[in-house]
Amino acid sequence: MSSTPAGSRERILARIRTAVADAPDAPEAPRDYLGTHTPESRIVDLLAENLADYRALVHRTDTAGLPALVARLLADRGARTVLVPPLLPETWLSATPEAVTRVPDDPGATAGALDTVDSVITGCALAIAETGTLVLDAAPDQGRRRITLVPDHHICVVRTTDQVVGSVPQAMPRLDPTRPLTWISGPSATSDIELDRVEGVHGPRTLEVVLLTD
């Protein structure tokens, strides 16, 4: 009678344990590697370059110019509605016409309801220059994860003075692992076996990133 798969597995594991029983302990992995390969003076420019490589649309402005830029981005999109997280700074939309309806982040909103919203605007937790990645953690200026995955147009504002890091190792200690982290590298995209790229399948078709200089 042939042995069961579970029995074979246990025999193989037993042989491995016997073979390594007298092996020395593995040496401790060195942790003295560089945290980043990017000079501080380059991280914002590198972030912009990598975001653009992922086909995100990158804009730069200062605090005074942000409201007008946001209003223009919504107008260029033809947005009639914009989803707004609960503690998004009011000044960000201060130049947006009243004709553009502001939709609150309603926890009871279904995916179907969110799909009818034209645009969403949020802040972020961090941006990583070397990978061109935005990290959202559902803070009050970002809202729930689903509001940045369902609407087709996402405007994300990044404060360059304190929210941009060079690398993933630099980002990890600054992120709270108990929060729902969403890592975004460009607009949603996928390819089939023939490498035909399709955007907007798993998230926004259009990602616009505003690099805000205070």
Side-chain angles (χ1 to χ4, degrees), residues 98-194:
E98 293 183 1
V100 179
T101 302
R102 302 181 189 184
V103 180
D105 178 13
D106 178 8
T110 64
L114 293 174
D115 194 39
T116 66
V117 177
D118 295 322
S119 301
V120 58
I121 178 170
T122 72
C124 76
L126 281 179
I128 304 171
E130 291 177 1
T131 59
T133 302
L134 307 175
V135 186
L136 279 62
D137 66 359
D141 66 338
Q142 301 156 46
R144 296 168 304 125
R145 173 181 285 167
R146 67 163 51 188
I147 73 170
T148 60
L149 297 178
V150 180
D152 205 41
H153 177 223
H154 180 193
I155 301 172
C156 184
V157 179
V158 180
R159 298 193 308 267
T160 60
T161 52
D162 63 345
Q163 290 186 323
V164 182
V165 297
S167 67
V168 172
Q170 289 181 326
M172 296 305 293
R174 293 181 53 176
L175 297 170
D176 183 349
T178 66
R179 298 189 66 83
L181 301 177
T182 304
W183 298 63
I184 303 170
S185 297
S188 165
T190 189
S191 297
D192 61 18
I193 196 170
E194 296 180 352

Side-chain angles (χ1 to χ4, degrees), residues 47-48 51-52 54-60 66 68-79 92 118-124 132 134 136 148 151-158 184-188 199 203-212:
L47 173 64
L51 286 168
Y54 281 125
R55 301 191 187 183
L57 304 176
V58 182
H59 313 273
R60 300 195 192 212
L66 179 61
L69 175 59
V70 169
R72 178 173 66 81
L73 297 181
L74 293 172
D76 290 348
R77 180 75 179 180
W92 291 10
D118 295 322
S119 301
V120 58
I121 178 170
T122 72
C124 76
L134 307 175
L136 279 62
T148 60
D152 205 41
H153 177 223
H154 180 193
I155 301 172
C156 184
V157 179
V158 180
I184 303 170
S185 297
S188 165
E199 297 182 348
R205 192 187 317 270
T206 303
L207 173 65
E208 304 210 55
V209 181
V210 178
L211 301 180
L212 178 65

Side-chain angles (χ1 to χ4, degrees), residues 80-94:
R80 294 167 297 177
T81 54
V82 57
L83 208 158
V84 182
L87 290 186
L88 191 84
E90 293 184 5
T91 56
W92 291 10
L93 291 168
S94 60

